[in-house]
Amino acid sequence: MDLMTTNRTSLITSLPLTFQNISKLNPRLKFNNNPSKQPSLVSYSPSQITLEQTKQIHARLIRTQFGHCCAVIDDPLLPQQTLEAQFNSLITSYTKNNCPRDSLRIYSHLRLADAFIDNFTIPSILKACGQLSKIKVGKEIHGFVLKAGFDWDVFVRNSLIQMYSECETVDSAERVFNKMTQRDVVSWSTMIGSYRRNKYFREALDLIKEMSVLAVKLDKTVVLNMINLFADMGVLEMGRVVHGYVIKKLDSEMENVSVCTALIDMYGKCGRTVPARQIFDRMSDKNVVTWTAMIAGYIHCGELVDGLELFVRMREATMSPNEVTILSWVIECGFAGALELGKLLHVYALKIGFDASPMLATALLDMYSKSGEVRIARAIFDRMEKRDVTAWTAMISGYAHSNCLLEAFNLFIHMINSNIEQNEVTMVSLLVLCAEAGALHLGKWVHGTMEKIGIDLDVVLATALIDMYAKCGEIDGANQVFVSTRRRDTSMLNAIMGGFAMHGRANQALELFHEMRKQKLKPNEITFVGVLHACSHAGLVEEGHLIFHQMVKDFGVEPTVQHYGCMVDLLGRAGKLNEAHEMIKSMPIQPNVIVWGALLASCKLHKNLGLAKLAARELLELEPHHCGYNVLLSNIYAAESRWHEVREIRKVMKETGMKKPPGLSSIEVNGVLHEFIIGDRSHPEIEKIDEKLAEMQKKLIEAGYEVNTSAVLLNIDEEEKETAIGFHTEKLAMAFGLISTAPNAPIRIMKNLRVCDDCHAATKLLSKIYGRLIIVRDRNRFHQFSEGSCTCRDYW
């Protein structure tokens, strides 16, 4: 185990001191360093002492300069006991009263004075480390545990697992658990809870299976952890099994409020409010948590009327919602997008005086952000008197959700300057934003910042990095992160396979898929979407067919609309339009816009007007006011020079207020994102861009290139079409990239629409003329142009 050995100096200096060295306060004080002499046990529970009483006892100890080793303090709260036991009680009391810093300060002084510390002290100290996420101090205490020989104590080891879990260091918790020669039911429960807390769901399920094989007897705590695990995973069937076990084996527990409340929460999160309400109605004893769980379940499932009715009943039952109740409902409103209900809860919180709570304020700003009300969220954030890392992260995530790149990074820099410690959630939000915007430079800066401040790469963070690099055109960078990550899960493999698919590296995606099977990692629905997508963009029809059938036969994954969409796209791109149409007709589920859209796009590619009209009619029935399908059908008619039909479609679009989204391309230069919209000449470097465009066009003509005007689907003459082609947004972005970056630097462009045939052909030639690697991400995939060729092999 890679643990730091005990280092008293670093331990003490890392914790601010509240009083001077104990030995200096009383030179006569001698602590007993003989481990064989155990202090007398405390005859009262520290949990029964309030924080104010704890502080009074602490002050008494300081005032009396700690007396003699066995001195009796005349205090009704402290019966006769050794000084060591009194300090144990004080540490435990501070920890249980949510004052972990005070516990660690006292512990540091005891270590400095060579005071005797026993295995009764360690769990409270470890709990304090977990509350503060002080992983470094926790590791030092772990080293002390090994040195002092306390690792035999199951209670101490359980506390170590819990501490590492709360510090989000699951690997260390796992190593402690695996080295335990003796485990009690708490050990298993704590490890399952550790996996659940850190979203290691597969490992948690494996541990439950191991418990079953070893016939470990379950108690209420384990059952609660299992119910909460299945609630977080949203696996209803497993939750029902545990429910059955509770009824059969723990019948008396069905009267237990905590077990029933957990079951209500589980059914609510799995979208089943009927069984949740049945349990709720049968309960003779309900507390505020039970009411909260049931109402939160209704909000989660979008059954807002039922939720409001139950809220009224709650008030009539004189059960007043507390701050945690309002917090839970606001969080659910954020997930469900229930903005109006969220606003009502906000007003209610203001009325009863809960609005000043940092946790509730954070939940409110998160709810408003997820609902698109980022300005209201920022107003709440600015009014907060105390802002912890969670509040900063929620606001940054809100900006990320609204694609506000500049605002998010400005706030992140403000966060750094305010000496707020960043965490993994902060970084994931920024990486997701960089991925969507294609901001590679900023993404790399975030990666470097993580390494600088020492944030370890867990599975979630590594997956976000892989996704960012892949979507920003750095598939090799994504692969480096993947290869260097020891722990992998299905989500991470999905991210790298999806990246390979976008970049046309179908063979690498398929190799990973087969490797995944060897490692016995179960692929899920998203896995097969990624693999079939890879086959589609590489024209691997036979491989796609085989994987589609294996998905059902070997893995029991029922095809969804997305999978059928991939297959229709695969067949359609390969020119097998009739086969694609037959697959649509044989689908056991209703085809949606994804499926018909894939067929329509393939019909445009292969100029099959008859089937295109059929697909377009189906699409317009499903979404009659969707602009894209009208535009695509209009383009198909235009390609056939059927201008009368084009005019009719555009007339309908104009009458119904439909507008085609304008072409937009963006390029990041020195951390600044520059956007180019067709017809917009507001860029400060527009004159230099025009000069570079003219140069590019001249070099293309000299190289023998002829403009392909088929992409201009307008009834205008060829000269006008050539002019329109020359000002496509990706060419504007490319020209700016050529004048703004170093001669050998790659040019990375993001486009919101599909790259047209002319721009694709021209970019291939320009990559050779200027000796540049040009990477373009369009609506469908990545194109890497180099030395006159593209990685898509002209198949997109």
Side-chain angles (χ1 to χ4, degrees):
M1 187 180 294
D2 183 19
L3 289 168
M4 297 178 63
T5 56
T6 304
N7 185 324
R8 291 178 185 162
T9 303
S10 62
L11 178 65
I12 293 164
T13 55
S14 66
L15 298 166
L17 306 182
T18 55
F19 49 86
Q20 296 177 353
N21 188 308
I22 291 174
S23 59
K24 290 181 180 179
L25 281 172
N26 191 343
R28 296 178 299 168
L29 179 61
K30 301 294 181 182
F31 285 91
N32 182 4
N33 288 313
N34 182 5
S36 63
K37 183 179 178 181
Q38 297 291 332
S40 62
L41 295 177
V42 182
S43 59
Y44 69 96
S45 171
S47 62
Q48 298 170 348
I49 298 180
T50 65
L51 176 60
E52 188 59 37
Q53 290 170 330
T54 304
K55 289 180 177 179
Q56 290 175 11
I57 296 167
H58 193 171
R60 177 69 63 87
L61 285 170
I62 297 173
R63 267 201 319 273
T64 57
Q65 297 189 18
F66 305 101
H68 298 283
C69 184
C70 295
V72 178
I73 297 178
D74 183 20
D75 195 306
L77 293 173
L78 284 176
Q80 183 172 350
Q81 55 180 272
T82 64
L83 188 60
E84 294 90 341
Q86 291 175 12
F87 275 111
N88 278 357
S89 302
L90 196 59
I91 289 170
T92 303
S93 186
Y94 268 129
T95 301
K96 290 189 175 181
N97 280 288
N98 295 317
C99 297
R101 295 186 186 277
D102 294 300
S103 296
L104 292 180
R105 286 172 186 142
I106 295 171
Y107 173 75
S108 70
H109 282 290
L110 293 175
R111 291 294 312 282
L112 184 66
D114 282 331
F116 171 69
I117 297 172
D118 60 13
N119 52 313
F120 295 103
T121 313
I122 298 300
S124 291
I125 294 298
L126 289 171
K127 185 176 180 181
C129 291
Q131 289 173 354
L132 294 169
S133 295
K134 292 280 187 181
I135 184 62
K136 183 178 179 181
V137 179
K139 286 184 175 182
E140 291 178 356
I141 294 170
H142 192 173
F144 171 75
V145 165
L146 297 174
K147 185 178 178 181
F150 295 145
D151 55 317
W152 58 267
D153 191 326
V154 175
F155 189 36
V156 171
R157 282 189 172 266
N158 291 344
S159 300
L160 281 167
I161 296 170
Q162 184 70 20
M163 180 274 295
Y164 280 124
S165 169
E166 290 176 353
C167 293
E168 299 181 358
T169 313
V170 186
D171 290 348
S172 297
E174 193 176 58
R175 286 196 290 269
V176 173
F177 180 80
N178 290 337
K179 286 190 175 183
M180 293 179 73
T181 55
Q182 289 185 334
R183 300 169 183 159
D184 60 11
V185 69
V186 178
S187 309
W188 293 90
S189 179
T190 306
M191 195 63 232
I192 292 171
S194 175
Y195 282 139
R196 171 186 158 257
R197 182 180 291 106
N198 293 279
K199 302 189 184 303
Y200 285 38
F201 295 142
R202 182 175 62 86
E203 289 81 354
L205 291 177
D206 290 342
L207 205 59
I208 291 171
K209 292 176 185 176
E210 188 179 347
M211 285 181 70
S212 177
V213 171
L214 297 174
V216 177
K217 187 177 180 180
L218 307 183
D219 67 358
K220 185 180 74 174
T221 306
V222 180
V223 168
L224 281 170
N225 263 324
M226 290 171 66
I227 294 172
N228 291 331
L229 170 68
F230 300 144
D232 291 347
M233 294 177 66
V235 285
L236 180 63
E237 292 307 315
M238 290 183 177
R240 282 175 172 164
V241 171
V242 177
H243 189 178
Y245 178 87
V246 169
I247 295 172
K248 185 177 179 181
K249 299 290 186 181
L250 301 174
D251 190 47
S252 61
E253 293 298 345
M254 282 311 295
E255 297 299 321
N256 186 284
V257 176
S258 59
V259 172
C260 290
T261 301
L263 285 168
I264 290 169
D265 180 65
M266 183 272 295
Y267 279 116
K269 287 179 177 175
C270 291
R272 297 292 187 273
T273 55
V274 173
R277 186 59 184 264
Q278 289 172 348
I279 297 171
F280 179 83
D281 289 339
R282 285 199 302 265
M283 291 176 66
S284 57
D285 186 22
K286 305 180 184 76
N287 60 22
V288 68
V289 182
T290 310
W291 287 88
T292 300
M294 190 64 244
I295 295 172
Y298 278 131
I299 298 172
H300 183 82
C301 297
E303 300 172 20
L304 305 183
V305 174
D306 292 321
L308 284 171
E309 287 178 355
L310 197 61
F311 174 70
V312 173
R313 278 191 55 193
M314 181 181 181
R315 297 299 309 279
E316 291 173 350
T318 65
M319 187 71 68
S320 296
N322 57 28
E323 186 180 330
V324 177
T325 304
I326 303 296
L327 177 67
S328 174
W329 295 340
V330 168
I331 290 171
E332 288 298 340
C333 285
F335 284 120
L339 178 61
E340 293 307 314
L341 179 57
K343 287 180 177 179
L344 288 175
L345 291 170
H346 190 180
V347 172
Y348 182 79
L350 291 170
K351 183 179 178 181
I352 58 180
F354 287 154
D355 62 304
S357 162
M359 290 182 64
L360 183 55
T362 301
L364 283 166
L365 75 86
D366 183 65
M367 183 270 294
Y368 281 114
S369 296
K370 287 175 178 174
S371 302
E373 297 284 356
V374 71
R375 290 184 179 179
I376 299 176
R378 183 58 190 262
I380 294 172
F381 177 82
D382 289 338
R383 285 200 303 267
M384 291 176 68
E385 294 181 5
K386 295 181 179 180
R387 295 180 293 217
D388 59 9
V389 63
T390 307
W392 287 86
T393 299
M395 193 63 246
I396 290 171
S397 300
Y399 280 133
H401 184 79
S402 300
N403 292 320
C404 299
L405 182 73
L406 182 61
E407 291 85 349
F409 274 89
N410 283 340
L411 189 62
F412 180 62
I413 292 169
H414 186 194
M415 182 181 185
I416 294 173
N417 294 335
S418 300
N419 295 321
I420 304 295
E421 185 177 347
Q422 303 86 47
N423 61 17
E424 290 82 357
V425 182
T426 317
M427 300 305 177
V428 168
S429 297
L430 291 170
L431 289 171
V432 169
L433 183 54
C434 291
E436 293 306 313
L440 178 64
H441 180 81
L442 289 172
K444 284 184 174 180
W445 180 72
V446 173
H447 192 180
T449 303
M450 285 162 43
E451 293 177 343
K452 183 178 179 181
I453 64 179
I455 293 181
D456 294 328
L457 274 187
D458 61 8
V459 175
V460 176
L461 202 48
T463 302
L465 267 175
I466 290 168
D467 188 60
M468 182 277 294
Y469 277 117
K471 287 181 177 176
C472 290
E474 275 280 355
I475 189 61
D476 291 330
N479 196 33
Q480 285 175 8
V481 175
F482 175 76
V483 170
S484 64
T485 306
R486 185 178 63 178
R487 182 186 287 274
R488 300 168 182 170
D489 66 357
T490 302
S491 296
M492 184 183 294
L493 282 157
N494 289 346
I496 189 65
M497 282 191 286
F500 283 140
M502 281 192 296
H503 287 267
R505 299 188 183 183
N507 290 331
Q508 286 177 274
L510 291 171
E511 284 174 13
L512 270 180
F513 175 68
H514 297 311
E515 184 64 28
M516 187 179 186
R517 296 184 65 177
K518 289 179 184 177
Q519 294 178 3
K520 297 183 178 179
L521 278 173
K522 188 177 180 180
N524 57 22
E525 293 178 1
I526 299 172
T527 310
F528 288 105
V529 169
V531 176
L532 291 173
H533 187 224
C535 293
S536 174
H537 282 289
L540 303 175
V541 178
E542 291 183 8
E543 289 85 346
H545 263 302
L546 178 62
I547 290 169
F548 185 76
H549 292 299
Q550 287 177 339
M551 178 176 72
V552 181
K553 183 179 177 182
D554 297 345
F555 299 100
V557 176
E558 288 298 320
T560 65
V561 172
Q562 286 80 8
H563 299 119
Y564 280 108
C566 288
M567 286 302 297
V568 170
D569 189 55
L570 169 66
L571 295 168
R573 284 176 183 274
K576 299 178 181 292
L577 296 174
N578 291 329
E579 191 176 339
H581 187 212
E582 288 300 318
M583 172 165 274
I584 294 175
K585 291 193 291 185
S586 65
M587 284 174 58
I589 52 180
Q590 189 71 23
N592 67 353
V593 294
I594 295 174
V595 177
W596 288 113
L599 182 62
L600 181 57
S602 297
C603 290
K604 178 180 180 292
L605 180 67
H606 295 286
K607 298 179 173 58
N608 187 323
L609 184 59
L611 202 51
K613 289 195 293 184
L614 186 150
R617 282 197 300 268
E618 295 288 346
L619 283 166
L620 292 172
E621 280 187 20
L622 291 169
E623 292 188 9
H625 300 295
H626 192 287
C627 175
Y629 311 135
N630 285 279
V631 170
L632 198 51
L633 183 59
S634 170
N635 290 347
I636 293 171
Y637 280 128
E640 298 284 329
S641 297
R642 298 175 63 166
W643 302 113
H644 175 70
E645 286 87 345
V646 172
R647 283 192 295 272
E648 287 298 317
I649 291 173
R650 292 184 177 176
K651 180 182 176 183
V652 171
M653 289 176 63
K654 185 177 181 180
E655 290 174 351
T656 55
M658 287 185 283
K659 293 182 179 180
K660 177 185 175 182
L664 184 148
S665 295
S666 62
I667 180 172
E668 183 191 26
V669 177
N670 298 325
V672 179
L673 204 65
H674 298 261
E675 293 185 341
F676 296 89
I677 302 174
I678 195 162
D680 180 14
R681 297 186 57 79
S682 62
H683 196 280
E685 302 288 331
I686 192 63
E687 292 183 3
K688 291 182 180 179
I689 292 170
D690 286 342
E691 290 176 9
K692 181 57 73 171
L693 279 173
E695 177 189 298
M696 289 162 55
Q697 194 66 24
K698 182 181 177 182
K699 289 181 179 291
L700 285 169
I701 293 171
E702 290 173 352
Y705 181 73
E706 293 183 3
V707 176
N708 180 358
T709 59
S710 64
V712 182
L713 304 173
L714 300 170
N715 190 13
I716 56 179
D717 61 38
E718 288 299 308
E719 186 176 348
E720 288 177 301
K721 286 185 178 182
E722 289 184 15
T723 302
I725 281 282
F727 284 91
H728 275 190
T729 58
E730 57 265 51
K731 287 180 180 174
L732 292 169
M734 199 183 311
F736 179 71
L738 287 169
I739 64 176
S740 305
T741 59
N744 296 321
I747 295 174
R748 304 172 194 278
I749 298 168
M750 306 292 156
K751 184 172 182 180
N752 67 331
L753 303 175
R754 183 181 179 272
V755 172
C756 74
D757 294 339
D758 178 79
C759 286
H760 191 273
T763 307
K764 283 198 299 182
L765 194 53
L766 288 168
S767 69
K768 185 174 183 180
I769 292 171
Y770 288 98
R772 293 286 197 109
L773 172 64
I774 303 173
I775 303 167
V776 179
R777 185 179 91 183
D778 70 4
R779 186 177 57 192
N780 294 327
R781 61 170 299 152
F782 270 95
H783 303 263
Q784 290 198 25
F785 301 91
S786 178
E787 293 298 322
S789 64
C790 179
T791 51
C792 76
R793 295 173 297 171
D794 298 338
Y795 188 86
W796 84 103

